[in-house]
Amino acid sequence: MSEGNLVYFQKQTILNRVEGSNRSAVHAAYQVLEDSLESEDSRRIMAAYLRIGRVFFEAGETEEAFRYINAYKELCAASGDGIDWLHLHHALFELYQFTNDTGKAAETLEAIIALGQRLEKHNVVSDAYIGLSRIFLMEGNHAAALEMAEKGLQEADLHERESAILKLKVKLNKAEAQIGLWNFKGSEKLFEDMESSPALDEFIHEKTRFYELQGAWFAKQKKYEEAFDAYTIAKEMAESLKDLEQLKRIQEERCRLCELIGDSKLGFSVQKEYIALLTEIHNNELAKAAVKMEIQHNIAEYERRANTDFLTGLYNRSYIETTADEWLRKAAAVRENLVCIVFDIDDFKAINDENGHLFGDEAIKLVSRACSQIFREEDLVGRFGGDEFVIILKGASLEIGKHKAEQLTEALAAVPLDKEGEAFELTISIGISDNGAGAVKTFKELFHLADTQLYKAKQSGKNRIIVS
């Protein structure tokens, strides 16, 4: 299946799963990809690969996302500049982060820092240090997290325009690290600094984390009621963001604090909220899994349809040519023998003219069913066009090819078509050739050799097999 066709079918599958503004965004991303592939402009293709990779990432299709990001990487290695490589590292970091591969995520951030420093992109370097700091916080290495946050703050200060969001993220990481190191005075100063900053109200995600950290700060000092109040504010914000994972973490802390406070009535209420949240998360995960399975199934189904003939279910000409060329290249390297069988139905035009095209279609279907019975699953069996069929046998001799052809003619003779209550026997003419144990390297050449033998079979009376 060609890249262009697969892109088209993937687009149709994804578009079936999205609605509203997301649908137009996804459609636009695919349109850019299709246009760029047609233009053969490497920079446009790179941008399109990156964009469509993000589409799959957001759909939860990480394998497809990695496939397009790797395609971007190949073009980047050939003609990309420093900014292109930064885009690549950022995309890979998001994917590694999503798949919880913290080792590769950290390596990617280090690559971003090295490249960002060389390009003097201080905001990029600062953000990467923030990412490393978060990884260390997740691992419980608070000293290293604090060190990375300090470096992130230094880089943010070097940025030509002050970035409120970078500094807010850095301070949140520093506060969490200080809490982990039991430095309540240091973290308190950071909380006061952030709370007095107008930036806190501008960024709802960071503000939610601020109150979650403040709850942890109070809890660690055994100020359980103040901690519960801070977590409750964080809960309300997380609900507005629909961040179920953060909400789960917050609700677990609220349940724990109810026990420490000793308020059973409040604890029962929070437990009910928590159970409802777990049910929602479970249903959401099931829905995501179902969507992912459906997308994978649909892409596989669309690919199968694109590779097969609509009438017979056998492989179509495009797939035969592409696959046979690949087989022949490999066969040439190891001197493996491949056999090509080409045949068509005798007097098919007359059959169509006398009996109609529907009867002709039934004749083609009968032949395809006979092929499916005689040839192996690993053989390449396809309808080349009209009433002409092609079969490629891997690791076979001409003798084996002739034997299979004889079995096919016998099978057709044993199951005639029904024509108004009477038996109508089909005959076929067959030409067979091989690749000379690797000497023939293209399907076009191999097909021509077998087709020549088919022509001889027709000229010598039809209903026969001619082997080169």
Side-chain angles (χ1 to χ4, degrees), residues 113-143:
I113 289 168
L115 183 54
Q117 287 175 334
R118 192 160 68 247
L119 297 172
E120 296 185 349
K121 298 286 183 182
H122 300 293
N123 59 328
V124 171
V125 176
S126 176
D127 199 45
Y129 274 126
I130 291 168
L132 274 177
S133 179
R134 288 288 288 164
I135 288 173
F136 283 125
L137 285 171
M138 288 188 291
E139 293 174 347
N141 189 344
H142 298 103

Side-chain angles (χ1 to χ4, degrees), residues 257-265:
L257 287 166
C258 285
E259 290 183 15
L260 293 170
I261 293 168
D263 190 332
S264 58
K265 185 177 179 180

Side-chain angles (χ1 to χ4, degrees), residues 228-407:
F228 185 86
D229 291 341
Y231 274 117
T232 299
I233 296 171
K235 165 191 166 284
E236 291 166 356
M237 291 183 174
E239 284 175 338
S240 70
L241 292 169
K242 302 189 185 304
D243 189 331
L244 298 183
E245 286 306 311
Q246 187 177 27
L247 195 54
K248 178 175 179 289
R249 189 171 62 243
I250 290 168
Q251 287 290 61
E252 285 170 349
E253 284 302 309
R254 291 179 80 233
C255 289
R256 186 177 72 87
L257 287 166
C258 285
E259 290 183 15
L260 293 170
I261 293 168
D263 190 332
S264 58
K265 185 177 179 180
L266 181 63
F268 177 71
S269 175
V270 174
Q271 281 286 350
K272 281 177 65 179
E273 292 176 358
Y274 181 58
I275 291 168
L277 174 64
L278 290 179
T279 302
E280 184 179 357
I281 290 172
H282 177 69
N283 291 338
N284 191 48
E285 288 174 349
L286 286 177
K288 282 182 179 178
V291 168
K292 183 174 181 179
M293 288 177 66
E294 185 170 349
I295 288 173
Q296 290 174 337
H297 169 77
N298 286 348
I299 288 174
E301 177 62 17
Y302 281 132
E303 186 170 8
R304 185 193 66 77
R305 289 181 189 176
N307 290 336
T308 55
D309 172 62
F310 73 97
L311 182 64
T312 64
L314 301 177
Y315 290 121
N316 59 24
R317 178 171 180 165
S318 174
Y319 185 82
I320 293 167
E321 290 177 343
T322 303
T323 307
D325 274 335
E326 184 181 341
W327 284 14
L328 285 161
R329 280 195 298 272
K330 292 178 180 178
V334 296
R335 298 184 62 79
E336 181 184 23
N337 207 64
L338 268 64
V339 169
C340 179
I341 301 172
V342 178
F343 70 89
D344 65 17
I345 300 171
D346 293 329
D347 303 313
F348 185 70
K349 185 178 183 305
I351 292 172
N352 260 342
D353 292 345
E354 293 172 14
N355 303 284
H357 289 283
L358 290 178
F359 188 81
D361 286 349
E362 288 304 314
I364 289 172
K365 289 178 185 177
L366 178 66
V367 171
S368 69
R369 287 195 293 270
C371 287
S372 298
Q373 292 171 2
I374 300 302
F375 295 97
R376 304 168 300 178
E377 189 174 335
E378 59 266 33
D379 296 330
L380 190 59
V381 182
R383 182 186 178 198
F384 203 64
D387 65 315
E388 190 167 31
F389 294 77
V390 175
I391 300 155
I392 309 290
L393 307 179
K394 192 185 289 188
S397 63
L398 287 171
E399 291 75 16
I400 290 174
K402 185 180 179 183
H403 176 65
K404 287 287 185 180
E406 289 168 348
Q407 287 182 311

Side-chain angles (χ1 to χ4, degrees), residues 15-171:
L15 284 176
N16 287 338
R17 303 306 314 168
V18 295
E19 298 175 353
S21 60
N22 285 334
R23 186 179 181 85
S24 61
V26 170
H27 187 277
Y30 271 107
Q31 190 60 57
V32 168
L33 180 57
E34 290 167 4
D35 291 345
S36 68
L37 289 170
E38 287 180 10
S39 73
E40 299 183 357
D41 182 329
S42 61
R43 296 205 67 78
R44 286 183 65 189
I45 294 170
M46 282 173 67
Y49 280 150
L50 203 59
R51 188 170 177 178
I52 205 68
R54 185 172 293 278
V55 168
F56 277 110
F57 165 68
E58 290 173 355
E61 282 294 298
T62 52
E63 287 184 14
E64 287 299 313
F66 271 119
R67 188 169 77 84
Y68 279 105
I69 296 305
N70 283 331
Y72 174 92
K73 184 178 180 180
E74 289 178 11
L75 287 179
C76 199
S79 57
D81 58 20
I83 300 300
D84 294 325
W85 282 100
L86 274 180
H87 290 323
L88 171 66
H89 293 319
H90 276 297
L92 286 172
F93 169 68
E94 287 186 342
L95 285 168
Y96 291 138
Q97 192 176 38
F98 182 79
T99 55
N100 296 317
D101 192 337
T102 54
K104 287 188 177 179
E107 287 175 14
T108 308
L109 288 172
E110 288 166 0
I112 291 173
I113 289 168
L115 183 54
Q117 287 175 334
R118 192 160 68 247
L119 297 172
E120 296 185 349
K121 298 286 183 182
H122 300 293
N123 59 328
V124 171
V125 176
S126 176
D127 199 45
Y129 274 126
I130 291 168
L132 274 177
S133 179
R134 288 288 288 164
I135 288 173
F136 283 125
L137 285 171
M138 288 188 291
E139 293 174 347
N141 189 344
H142 298 103
L146 186 59
E147 181 186 353
M148 293 301 105
E150 291 286 4
K151 289 182 177 181
L153 188 57
Q154 291 168 16
E155 290 291 335
D157 287 335
L158 291 172
H159 187 48
E160 57 186 14
R161 288 176 298 181
E162 184 172 343
S163 174
I165 184 62
L166 281 178
K167 290 191 174 181
L168 185 56
K169 285 180 176 180
V170 166
K171 289 173 183 178

